[in-house]
Amino acid sequence: MKRVYVLMFVLAVVSCLPASAQLRFGIKGGLDVTSMSLSSDVVSSDNRQGFYIGPTVKLSLLDTGFGLDASALYDQRSGKIEMAYGNEQIVNDHEESLTQKQIAIPVNLRYAFGIGSTANVFLFAGPQFGFNVGGDKDNINWKWKDSNFSVNVGAGLTVLSHLQLNVNYNIACGKTGEIKVSDVLPEVTKNVHARYNAWQIGLAYYF
């Protein structure tokens, strides 16, 4: 049902565009550098790399600089968590690698300004809707949320009207996943929530 709401949102935006809007299709891919923030100091994490790829569409309002882009991306992010407990003499560790696999649908409002006849710089921001397609860890009872909401903020460069390079920060709104730590560390009774934020570097080609 949430996927239907996202599709209705995109269609509603497109239907409001004037006839002078230019529509272009393309393909987009890039790298994630993910940082995981956790709700407990019993569990720690470090940054890991991931990737995303998928089709994209760009709508430009001619002669205004404003536009809109939307994508449907396969987004795979990785991380590593370490659970430590004990006293100063004896410390026990448990380490696990995690992978989140999702279909991400970013919808960004953008504003571009030219730096010459062949290139422009653009700023963009907007919501992103994610739908989990795998990556849970049964052995430690780690569970990714079925869907999540985040926000993108970034900038980019378009060259020769076809090639686009962008850098953005993806900010998670609410928890992305959680673990029942007591399954691994019996003396810890509460669940630990995680939030995945990511720097993203992307390259797109519009036909």
Side-chain angles (χ1 to χ4, degrees):
M1 182 61 69
K2 291 182 179 180
R3 292 173 175 83
V4 174
Y5 291 150
V6 173
L7 180 60
M8 291 176 62
F9 171 75
V10 174
L11 292 176
V13 171
V14 171
S15 65
C16 294
L17 293 171
S20 59
Q22 181 186 62
L23 178 66
R24 304 186 70 172
F25 295 91
I27 187 168
K28 183 178 184 179
L31 300 176
D32 295 310
V33 179
T34 304
S35 62
M36 182 190 296
S37 58
L38 299 153
S39 61
S40 171
D41 56 9
V42 175
V43 184
S44 61
S45 67
D46 61 1
N47 294 350
R48 282 293 186 270
Q49 289 73 45
F51 69 93
Y52 61 91
I53 189 168
T56 184
V57 60
K58 178 173 65 173
L59 292 154
S60 301
L61 301 180
L62 301 179
D63 302 322
T64 68
F66 286 99
L68 185 77
D69 67 64
S71 307
L73 307 172
Y74 174 78
D75 187 352
Q76 180 171 307
R77 303 182 183 187
S78 298
K80 183 178 72 174
I81 60 173
E82 183 176 355
M83 289 164 277
Y85 64 102
N87 52 43
E88 293 182 357
Q89 287 75 36
I90 301 175
V91 177
N92 298 293
D93 294 326
H94 186 90
E95 185 178 284
E96 287 285 347
S97 295
L98 301 174
T99 300
Q100 181 193 32
K101 302 173 183 179
Q102 66 172 349
I103 301 299
I105 304 176
V107 181
N108 297 309
L109 179 66
R110 50 195 287 160
Y111 178 74
F113 47 93
I115 56 175
S117 59
T118 59
N120 67 63
V121 173
F122 62 93
L123 307 175
F124 65 92
Q128 176 170 298
F129 308 91
F131 303 97
N132 185 50
V133 293
D136 294 345
K137 295 284 285 188
D138 293 335
N139 59 316
I140 61 170
N141 202 14
W142 178 273
K143 176 67 176 177
W144 296 109
K145 288 188 63 180
D146 292 335
S147 62
N148 59 79
F149 178 78
S150 58
V151 174
N152 290 311
V153 179
L157 174 68
T158 302
V159 180
L160 299 176
S161 75
H162 291 284
L163 191 63
Q164 173 185 293
L165 175 68
N166 68 273
V167 178
N168 70 278
Y169 192 55
N170 177 245
I171 307 166
C173 301
K175 69 179 181 181
T176 311
E178 67 179 358
I179 180 176
K180 188 177 180 181
V181 183
S182 60
D183 288 351
V184 183
L185 310 180
E187 64 275 19
V188 180
T189 58
K190 64 180 181 179
N191 293 355
V192 174
H193 300 157
R195 180 181 298 177
Y196 258 21
N197 297 326
W199 282 102
Q200 298 180 313
I201 301 174
L203 188 66
Y205 185 85
Y206 289 97
F207 303 103

